[in-house]
Amino acid sequence: MTNNKSVLAWLDEMKELLCPDEVIWIDGSKEQIEKLRAEACSTGELIKLNQDLLPECYLHRTAVNDVARVEDRTFICSRKEEDAGPTNNWKDPQEAYKMLFDIARGSYKGKTMYVIPYSMGPVGSPLAEIGFEVTDSIYVVLNMSIMTRVGQKVVETLGDSEDWIKGLHSRCDIDPEKRYICHFPEDNYIISVNSGYGGNVLLGKKCFALRIASYLGKNNQWMAEHMLILGIENPQGEIKYVAAAFPSACGKTNLAMLIPPEGYRNKGYKVWTVGDDIAWMRKGPDGRLYAINPENGFFGVAPGTNEKSNPNALASTKKGTIFTNVVLNKDNDTVWWEGLDKNPPANAINWKGEPWNGQESSEKGAHPNSRFTAPAENCPCISPEFNSTTGVPISAIIFGGRRAQTTPLVYQSRDWNNGVFVGSIMASETTAAATGAVGVVRRDPMAMLPFCGYHMADYFAHWIEMGEILGDKAPKIFNVNWFRLDEEGHFLWPGFGDNFRVLEWIINRCEGKADAQETAIGYVPNAEDINLEGLDMDIETLKDILYVDNEKWLKEAEGIEEFYKKFGDKLPEELKNQLAGLKERLSK
Ligand code: GTP
Ligand code: SPV
Ligand code: MN
């Protein structure tokens, strides 16, 4: 399959370590995929769904102890502990290699080793990077074949180059006590053992495209971010692109695929999806910041996805999709999850594989972090620039999280460095996307807390450096919060498609077409400048969720100060000054 010496040498090592019975290269052909699907169905790893209603779609269930990313078992194995920083778990690389190789040794006995050559980004794009993942899981092969560009064309593009990322995945015994997701940024190496869940095992995604790539980006003046990318087309046909970072399960896929409210659609506004989870960005020839989506599919949260909230995501799942940990409707071999519709199937199997009656059961049928893996090409609003090798120019960067209180619907930072500060102080309620407590507010800078592959303070410094590199061509930076609650716990902002009303203000600000009020935290819209036409919402409620409460923000500033202490002397001076400036403006 290749003459690349570095690849062949590593594969020899892998064979010797893992002892597979057989080695199969993934060539990217339809025939091979079909064969693997059939094999997975024969062993029960996949369940074939109704091929008339859901052609080429399959269901998979993970082990019940293996349903989300495991942040407490995820490690950055840099040579110096200091380089992993206070927000990452660290292991000494030599000890980690030994431990992981001991766990994985012989684990492919009686099995096949699949070799997946994959490209993050369009094959051959100057912004793309190549990886090889070995795995013993057909589920991983099939998911990687949707989420990335795989096969022989990748091998040919790599040629003799040694510039590629190693990825070893072994399911071993799915033992949660021996589950480790380890990254060796100085060696371009990722090792994942004892898991079969998406974010832990699709090594191109969070492990490579964020943890390893963030480190590559720092050293080479580019950025790897947990961001969606979307294009907003106005009635004149001009398209402006924005990138937005929200923590896991906080609305990236939904915003990336949003359908503008009717009034806007009638005028000719459209939204185009470039990416829903990850953005790689660097300065382009004209000095602006350009972004590509390194992925080729969507690994989206199923619960809550429906015809009203996200019809484009739902449409994307109608063909060639793998569903993980959702409900199987036994009557017609289709799938269901909470929030799909109000008709849960009575004759069904829940995510654990048990009989389940959705009409009567008080238990959830789908896991809260159940997912679909859908090809990007299925998405009705996929951007014509999706496969662009140069990427799209970014006008605005948007940060956001789940905050019941304090953070207003939207505000603009004062400038780039103030925007870096805004990103660095992001906080959000935790979700089911990672194991652990749900609904606890935690600091999650730039939505990268679980994904930054090096010291977070150096990451902040890199952001500041990127501002210097981009100068006055840098995108404007904003913060949004769709999740403000009233006293009874209802959302105050309708969200979803109506978020377009906020995007409109953001684009207008970028073009100098909208006014704003200066507050202690940044620029907030005049309520009149957010279009409420067609919405059952009064302007007083809007004013409430735009209001910046200095008392609450003073408390927030204390929390930020506490959080910043973690970084000690490494925290960039600029961010210390930003915090001091905020405190001063708040107490005026
Ligand atoms: P990851 O794939 O984990 O990175 O998640 P994500 O950021 O892509 O989140 P996603 O768009 O899948 O949304 C997660 C949950 O948030 C779903 O249950 C959505 O229904 C809900 N959600 C998304 N957008 C909004 C919104 O504007 N308002 C409200 N109230 N909920 C939203
Ligand atoms: C996330 O948790 O942010 C995801 C899903 O996008 S996973 O691939 O599991 O990381
Ligand atoms: Mn994500």
Side-chain angles (χ1 to χ4, degrees):
M1 292 290 288
T2 182
N3 296 321
N4 184 306
K5 289 206 184 77
S6 59
V7 173
L8 291 174
W10 180 66
L11 289 177
D12 280 344
E13 266 174 52
M14 290 297 100
K15 270 185 279 185
E16 199 175 309
L17 175 75
L18 302 162
C19 309
D21 281 12
E22 199 190 347
V23 177
I24 293 183
W25 279 74
I26 299 309
D27 59 19
S29 71
K30 251 199 122 70
E31 298 71 47
Q32 191 180 44
I33 295 288
E34 229 6 275
K35 236 175 104 188
L36 291 172
R37 285 169 171 165
E39 190 178 334
C41 286
S42 76
T43 61
E45 192 177 351
L46 289 185
I47 295 167
K48 196 172 199 164
L49 296 169
N50 185 322
Q51 296 295 296
D52 294 324
L53 298 172
L54 296 168
E56 296 183 59
C57 290
Y58 295 82
L59 170 66
H60 172 79
R61 298 189 197 104
T62 64
V64 290
N65 71 28
D66 189 27
V67 293
R69 283 183 293 99
V70 279
E71 296 181 1
D72 55 332
R73 310 196 68 91
T74 297
F75 293 83
I76 300 300
C77 307
S78 44
R79 282 194 275 279
K80 285 197 266 169
E81 178 167 7
E82 164 81 2
D83 292 341
T87 58
N88 281 314
N89 300 312
W90 176 83
K91 268 190 197 303
D92 172 78
Q94 291 321 314
E95 284 169 27
Y97 281 127
K98 180 172 183 325
M99 176 192 73
L100 296 163
F101 289 153
D102 284 347
I103 292 174
R105 186 163 294 113
S107 64
Y108 285 16
K109 263 185 205 141
K111 300 186 190 173
T112 300
M113 172 165 109
Y114 298 99
V115 180
I116 315 171
Y118 66 94
S119 172
M120 299 311 291
V123 180
S125 159
L127 302 178
E129 299 281 340
I130 286 173
F132 281 78
E133 175 168 357
V134 296
T135 179
D136 55 348
S137 157
I138 297 181
Y139 172 76
V140 167
V141 172
L142 296 176
N143 273 275
M144 283 292 285
S145 303
I146 298 172
M147 293 307 296
T148 73
R149 284 108 171 151
V150 303
Q152 195 52 29
K153 57 188 189 283
V154 177
V155 178
E156 280 154 23
T157 304
L158 182 67
D160 294 334
S161 168
E162 291 181 15
D163 186 10
W164 55 277
I165 309 292
K166 302 179 178 99
L168 159 56
H169 167 242
S170 177
R171 278 184 303 174
C172 301
D173 309 310
I174 313 286
D175 177 352
E177 301 299 318
K178 291 191 186 152
R179 185 168 297 152
Y180 293 99
I181 321 300
C182 293
H183 308 71
F184 304 80
E186 291 136 344
D187 302 342
N188 288 336
Y189 210 151
I190 304 158
I191 302 178
S192 162
V193 291
N194 278 297
S195 175
Y197 165 75
N200 298 330
V201 300
L202 308 179
L203 301 185
K205 194 172 176 61
K206 295 301 170 40
C207 299
F208 177 176
L210 289 179
R211 297 195 190 96
I212 297 287
S214 61
Y215 177 78
L216 296 175
K218 175 193 72 147
N219 293 330
N220 296 287
Q221 302 195 331
W222 56 281
M223 308 168 89
E225 300 295 335
H226 193 199
M227 290 181 180
L228 66 95
I229 309 163
L230 67 80
I232 300 159
E233 180 173 341
N234 69 15
Q236 291 76 48
E238 295 156 351
I239 306 181
K240 299 269 183 248
Y241 295 92
V242 306
F246 309 155
S248 300
C250 288
K252 287 182 301 299
T253 302
N254 276 273
L255 190 69
M257 299 182 189
L258 82 66
I259 296 184
E262 195 183 348
Y264 287 94
R265 287 204 306 277
N266 292 342
K267 283 187 203 142
Y269 285 94
K270 281 190 199 120
V271 164
W272 299 105
T273 307
V274 181
D276 82 325
D277 199 51
I278 298 175
W280 285 0
M281 306 190 286
R282 76 167 81 212
K283 183 175 162 176
D286 64 356
R288 296 184 67 192
L289 187 64
Y290 281 73
I292 63 162
N293 169 13
E295 301 191 281
N296 200 28
F298 308 117
F299 187 59
V301 179
T305 306
N306 61 52
E307 205 43 75
K308 241 190 107 210
S309 66
N310 196 346
N312 286 318
L314 202 59
S316 305
T317 66
K318 296 298 179 195
K319 199 183 159 205
T321 293
I322 301 171
F323 298 91
T324 302
N325 293 342
V326 300
V327 173
L328 174 65
N329 181 345
K330 292 274 277 175
D331 285 337
N332 60 1
D333 289 324
T334 57
V335 286
W336 190 87
W337 49 77
E338 277 67 28
L340 174 65
D341 56 39
K342 298 210 163 77
N343 294 309
N347 177 24
I349 306 285
N350 70 10
W351 72 271
K352 295 180 201 161
E354 304 157 343
W356 183 77
N357 183 333
Q359 308 280 337
E360 285 169 7
S361 179
S362 54
E363 264 184 52
K364 288 198 156 110
H367 188 274
N369 190 40
S370 55
R371 300 245 167 194
F372 53 79
T373 316
E377 64 181 20
N378 285 0
C379 181
C381 57
I382 196 72
S383 164
E385 300 296 325
F386 178 73
N387 285 311
S388 155
T389 51
T390 49
V392 294
I394 298 298
S395 298
I397 287 173
I398 305 172
F399 295 119
R402 245 173 225 275
R403 292 299 297 273
Q405 294 194 29
T406 314
T407 309
L409 177 65
V410 57
Y411 66 102
Q412 181 184 3
S413 70
R414 305 162 76 86
D415 53 31
W416 178 272
N417 280 356
N418 182 239
V420 176
F421 173 71
V422 168
S424 78
I425 65 166
M426 263 173 71
S428 192
E429 292 149 27
T430 50
T431 65
T435 54
V438 166
V440 183
V441 175
R442 71 166 182 187
R443 298 273 153 209
D444 187 351
M446 283 83 169
M448 283 290 277
L449 183 72
F451 307 120
C452 183
Y454 59 103
H455 197 300
M456 186 63 89
D458 290 335
Y459 170 79
F460 295 153
H462 179 51
W463 265 83
I464 292 169
E465 184 199 10
M466 287 304 296
E468 286 158 11
I469 290 170
L470 295 163
D472 61 2
K473 300 233 168 87
K476 304 278 184 270
I477 300 181
F478 298 80
N479 195 87
V480 299
N481 177 20
W482 316 137
F483 298 93
R484 284 285 289 266
L485 299 180
D486 66 12
E487 265 107 64
E488 277 106 57
H490 303 119
F491 290 114
L492 284 162
W493 175 251
F496 301 99
D498 289 307
N499 293 334
F500 191 83
R501 301 167 191 276
V502 173
L503 292 180
E504 181 184 39
W505 182 78
I506 287 174
I507 294 297
N508 282 341
R509 284 297 290 174
C510 292
E511 296 180 340
K513 290 186 196 155
D515 249 344
Q517 304 168 36
E518 188 172 350
T519 72
I521 62 170
Y523 302 101
V524 172
N526 296 312
E528 297 72 27
D529 289 339
I530 301 281
N531 175 12
L532 295 183
E533 204 183 296
L535 257 193
D536 182 22
M537 181 178 190
D538 59 66
I539 195 150
E540 291 311 314
T541 310
L542 178 60
K543 282 184 181 161
D544 272 354
I545 56 175
L546 287 173
Y547 180 66
V548 176
D549 185 332
N550 283 5
E551 287 301 309
K552 282 194 179 140
W553 272 94
L554 272 169
K555 274 217 116 54
E556 191 73 14
E558 283 170 26
I560 298 164
E561 187 141 28
E562 205 44 51
F563 177 63
Y564 269 5
K565 277 189 191 148
K566 272 189 183 203
F567 304 109
D569 289 347
K570 273 223 161 193
L571 186 77
E573 207 51 39
E574 176 59 31
L575 292 186
K576 285 182 211 158
N577 297 340
Q578 288 286 341
L579 177 58
L582 173 68
K583 285 191 356 200
E584 193 192 310
R585 291 190 298 276
L586 284 169
S587 42
K588 255 189 208 152

